[in-house]
Amino acid sequence: MISIIILNYNAGKLLIDCVTSIINSKLKDFEIILVDNCSSDNSHLDCKKKFDSIKLIENKENLGYCEGNNVGLRAAHGEFIMILNPDTTVTSNWADELLNSYHKFGEGLYQPKILSMSNPKKLGTAGNIVNIFGFGFSRGRGEMDENQYNKIEKVGYASGTCLFLSAKTFERIGMLDSFLFAYHDDLEYGWRGSELGIKSYYIPTSIIYHAESFSFKWKPFKFYLLERNRHYCLLTHYSRKTFYKILPELILVEIAVIIFYTSRGLLFEKIKASLNIIKNRKSINKRYNEIQQNREISDKEIIQNFSDKIIVPIELSKSAQNSLFLNFIKNLSRRARKKIMSQNL
């Protein structure tokens, strides 16, 4: 059985469409656990009324993406787990293809090809990539799907929009990190998995459609979370030896990000993100110790799957200035990579 966890927050009709597509798919043995994060639009109640067989859990407050999904994960009984966004619709064999891939490749984190709901010929993500400095981005985002990403591949991390894994894998990696609230949660989960030797896979024969960021869109709060959570990942996943080895590059990246955020009127969000990291330094250090104690794979091996380049979404692009920022980050990443690879671990 597959336990499908859908976390809802004012998704409206998108939620009904999502559940309808699951029920109309070829998947037979499954349970749907709908977790509502204190929605005000009654979409969760409408969904339960239409599909009485689903299990509805109503949170008394908005717990965010991570802890909201954790509520559903604790209630799951399946041999396999699917975390699925409410603003998606699935194709008939989407789950079968992911399950078949699991039986072929074994323990891992799996994601489908994700296409845009507004333009089904446009890619949302063909596997996600993580940069050495903790930036995460979607491969192929905004490109027209011309079968350029039509082979199964290992990727940096599997998208949280639709994440498939076995219950045994989940037991090894653990819950989503509730500190993050939302964004970079899938990057952090994939990074944590890679430290245990668990790889992430992109399965193009499994296809879903995504409405894309209906909750936060590109609002200041999203930038705040992205930057705060990027720092959190760097501080908890890199060993102290690695972190201090590349500290000069990290400082230069920090300056570049400040300039980038300032140019978009988001300096306050950048400052707020940094202050929150400082405020939570004790809990971050505790989390660091937990992760480092359990890890099996070294930074040196893990960064071989990381990228030197980053891609800024089209919505945020500003031609020349953007190009300078991206090239600067890429060159610094190469320098940092050489330093990490030279370590005796």
Side-chain angles (χ1 to χ4, degrees):
M1 184 174 72
I2 299 177
S3 295
I4 302 172
I5 297 154
I6 303 174
L7 179 66
N8 179 62
Y9 179 68
N10 293 329
K13 185 178 179 296
L14 290 169
L15 176 61
I16 296 288
D17 293 342
C18 176
V19 175
T20 300
S21 69
I22 294 169
I23 291 173
N24 289 340
S25 72
K26 293 180 180 178
L27 186 62
K28 300 301 179 185
D29 193 5
F30 66 94
E31 64 173 352
I32 295 177
I33 302 171
L34 174 59
V35 182
D36 188 73
N37 252 349
C38 204
S39 294
S40 59
D41 67 352
N42 290 327
S43 52
H44 56 300
L45 299 177
D46 292 340
C47 189
K48 175 64 175 176
K49 184 176 180 180
K50 185 175 178 66
F51 304 105
D52 185 59
S53 62
I54 67 175
K55 181 176 182 178
L56 174 62
I57 303 174
E58 297 178 83
N59 293 332
K60 294 181 179 180
E61 60 181 309
N62 185 349
L63 300 177
Y65 175 89
C66 296
E67 190 55 29
N69 273 305
N70 285 343
V71 170
L73 288 165
R74 294 185 188 102
H77 298 292
E79 183 183 355
F80 296 93
I81 291 168
M82 179 89 73
I83 295 175
L84 185 67
N85 276 17
D87 56 342
T88 61
T89 55
V90 305
T91 53
S92 62
N93 65 340
W94 115 100
D96 291 335
E97 292 296 330
L98 293 171
L99 188 58
N100 291 339
S101 297
Y102 168 84
H103 288 308
K104 182 176 181 180
F105 298 105
E107 186 176 49
L109 304 174
Y110 294 84
Q111 75 151 88
K113 176 189 285 188
I114 301 176
L115 299 171
S116 170
M117 194 178 290
S118 59
N119 184 350
K121 294 183 179 180
K122 185 180 290 186
L123 284 164
T125 175
N128 290 353
I129 299 172
V130 55
N131 167 268
I132 282 179
F133 299 126
F135 299 102
F137 59 94
S138 301
R139 185 177 65 156
R141 189 176 190 275
E143 295 179 23
M144 300 308 293
D145 181 22
E146 297 175 343
N147 299 323
Q148 67 270 44
Y149 302 110
N150 258 26
K151 63 178 181 178
I152 295 174
E153 296 178 74
K154 294 175 186 175
V155 292
Y157 62 101
S159 172
T161 300
C162 180
L163 178 64
F164 178 82
L165 67 161
S166 70
K168 290 181 180 179
T169 303
F170 167 65
E171 287 174 10
R172 285 194 65 198
I173 303 176
M175 295 285 178
L176 297 171
D177 195 321
S178 58
F179 176 88
L180 300 176
F181 190 79
Y183 297 112
H184 279 345
D185 41 81
D186 46 7
L187 183 154
E188 193 279 333
Y189 203 74
W191 197 336
R192 203 178 345 142
S194 68
E195 289 164 338
L196 299 173
I198 298 169
K199 297 178 173 61
S200 295
Y201 295 89
Y202 161 68
I203 311 300
T205 50
S206 173
I207 297 172
I208 71 166
Y209 300 94
H210 186 211
E212 305 172 321
S213 250
F214 82 97
S215 289
F216 295 124
K217 300 189 182 296
W218 287 103
K219 294 179 179 178
F221 185 55
K222 180 173 181 175
F223 284 95
Y224 158 74
L225 288 173
L226 284 169
E227 187 60 8
R228 185 197 67 160
N229 294 349
R230 181 179 72 86
H231 277 276
Y232 179 83
C233 289
L234 294 174
L235 289 167
T236 54
H237 288 288
Y238 278 139
S239 70
R240 291 288 183 256
K241 183 177 180 179
T242 297
F243 187 87
Y244 289 120
K245 188 90 171 179
I246 64 172
L247 186 58
E249 286 75 23
L250 288 170
I251 291 171
L252 291 173
V253 169
E254 192 72 4
I255 294 170
V257 171
I258 288 171
I259 294 171
F260 181 86
Y261 268 56
T262 301
S263 70
R264 284 153 179 78
L266 295 163
L267 179 59
F268 177 73
E269 308 307 318
K270 170 60 181 168
I271 294 171
K272 189 167 70 169
S274 298
L275 290 175
N276 189 269
I277 290 293
I278 295 170
K279 176 184 175 183
N280 289 285
R281 62 190 181 278
K282 288 185 179 179
S283 61
I284 291 172
N285 191 56
K286 181 182 177 182
R287 184 61 173 159
Y288 166 83
N289 290 330
E290 292 171 352
I291 290 173
Q292 299 304 315
Q293 185 176 1
N294 294 326
R295 70 182 299 167
E296 301 172 8
I297 309 297
S298 70
D299 293 331
K300 189 173 181 178
E301 186 174 343
I302 287 171
I303 67 152
Q304 293 181 38
N305 296 316
F306 286 6
S307 171
D308 291 325
K309 70 176 183 177
I310 64 171
I311 295 176
V312 175
I314 296 171
E315 306 96 296
L316 308 177
S317 297
K318 287 194 175 180
S319 58
Q321 185 188 55
N322 225 41
S323 181
L324 285 171
F325 174 73
L326 298 180
N327 286 329
F328 184 68
I329 297 297
K330 183 168 69 174
N331 290 330
L332 285 177
S333 294
R334 289 172 175 169
R335 277 173 46 181
R337 181 183 296 276
K338 288 179 181 178
K339 287 185 176 183
I340 298 172
M341 295 303 293
S342 69
Q343 291 185 122
N344 294 318
L345 299 173

